[in-house]
């Protein structure tokens, strides 16, 4: 496994804040208030016989404690800090989920390819938005909305077939789990590149696809 501090230069880019002890409620409110991201509460973890199980009740849940709790989650998402506070007060341990296709889209790649691309982009001094590192070893790069429509053509122009790369664009109708949400016993979602004032303005997918596609091609 790659170590963040060894692959990304610069303290601002390398630091992944520790999530331990952070309040999910206050973090959700901060995402809405400071970043103007829509947020909505997902499922949560419940201890059963000393083991953490997803509140959905499915013993084989693929994302325990880190997926929508209701089918109409898209209408539940809010950019209001006041409404977010009210929702998490009802269930303080609910996961923090961010709908894509609104303030941002996300490009998801394997962790190894993600770190390779980050190192390459750092050397190129590329514009970079926040990047999430998930417990299932994926990295999600935040880009401007509309990426879903652009990415297939961008990848083809680079000589790749999208089906040949483990590169997925998350746009309208889907979501990402935000730190410090936990995936059961697998661990917590973290920031590989945390949200800062410097990356408030997101890059276009066109800027990130070349290094990401290259890294995914090498990672096959």
């Amino acid at each position: 496994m790659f170590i963040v501090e060894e692959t990304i230069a610069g303290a601002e880019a390398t630091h992944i804040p520790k999530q331990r002890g952070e309040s999910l409620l206050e973090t959700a409110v901060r995402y809405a208030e400071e970043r103007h991201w829509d947020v909505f509460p997902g499922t949560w973890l419940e201890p059963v016989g000393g083991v953490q199980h997803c509140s959905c009740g499915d013993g084989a849940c693929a994302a325990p404690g880190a997926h929508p709790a209701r089918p109409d989650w898209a209408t539940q998402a809010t950019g209001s800090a006041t409404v977010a506070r009210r929702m998490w007060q009802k269930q303080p341990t609910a996961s923090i989920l961010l709908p894509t296709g609104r303030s941002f889209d996300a490009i998801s790649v394997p962790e190894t390819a993600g770190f390779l691309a980050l190192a390459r982009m750092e050397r190129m001094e590329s514009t970079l938005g926040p990047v999430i590192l998930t417990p299932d070893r994926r990295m999600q790069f935040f880009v401007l909305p509309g990426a879903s429509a652009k990415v297939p053509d961008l990848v083809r122009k680079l000589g790749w077939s999208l089906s040949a790369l483990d590169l997925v664009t998350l746009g309208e109708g889907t979501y990402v789990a935000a730190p410090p949400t936990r995936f059961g016993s697998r661990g917590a979602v973290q920031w590989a590149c945390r949200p800062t004032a410097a990356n408030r303005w997101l890059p276009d997918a066109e800027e990130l696809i070349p290094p990401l596609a290259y890294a995914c091609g090498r990672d096959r």
Side-chain angles (χ1 to χ4, degrees), residues 143-162:
V143 294
L144 290 171
S148 296
K150 297 179 179 181
V151 166
D153 190 47
L154 290 172
V155 170
R156 278 194 297 271
K157 286 180 178 178
L158 292 170
W160 293 98
S161 164
L162 192 58

Side-chain angles (χ1 to χ4, degrees), residues 120-136:
R120 185 179 177 87
M121 286 187 274
E122 180 69 21
R123 288 194 300 271
M124 296 168 60
E125 299 184 351
S126 302
T127 301
L128 192 65
V131 182
I132 282 176
L133 177 62
T134 72
D136 55 357

Side-chain angles (χ1 to χ4, degrees), residues 143-189:
V143 294
L144 290 171
S148 296
K150 297 179 179 181
V151 166
D153 190 47
L154 290 172
V155 170
R156 278 194 297 271
K157 286 180 178 178
L158 292 170
W160 293 98
S161 164
L162 192 58
S163 61
L165 301 178
D166 188 358
L167 185 153
V168 179
T169 308
L170 305 174
E172 187 175 358
T174 188
Y175 60 90
V176 297
T181 295
R182 295 191 66 84
F183 277 62
S185 61
R186 291 180 234 165
V189 182

Side-chain angles (χ1 to χ4, degrees), residues 41-92:
T43 53
W44 56 93
L45 295 171
E46 297 176 333
V48 179
V51 179
Q52 296 285 342
H53 288 269
C54 186
S55 61
C56 72
D58 182 357
C61 181
H67 64 86
R70 41 194 278 186
D72 63 342
W73 60 265
T75 62
Q76 187 187 21
T78 180
S80 164
T82 302
V83 175
R85 183 177 296 278
R86 191 180 306 135
M87 289 194 293
W88 266 271
Q89 282 174 338
K90 292 179 181 177
Q91 182 48 254

Side-chain angles (χ1 to χ4, degrees), residues 27-42:
T27 305
V29 168
R30 181 160 46 86
Y31 289 151
E33 196 167 56
E34 297 179 8
R35 300 299 293 198
H36 305 295
W37 290 339
D38 283 4
V39 297
F40 67 98

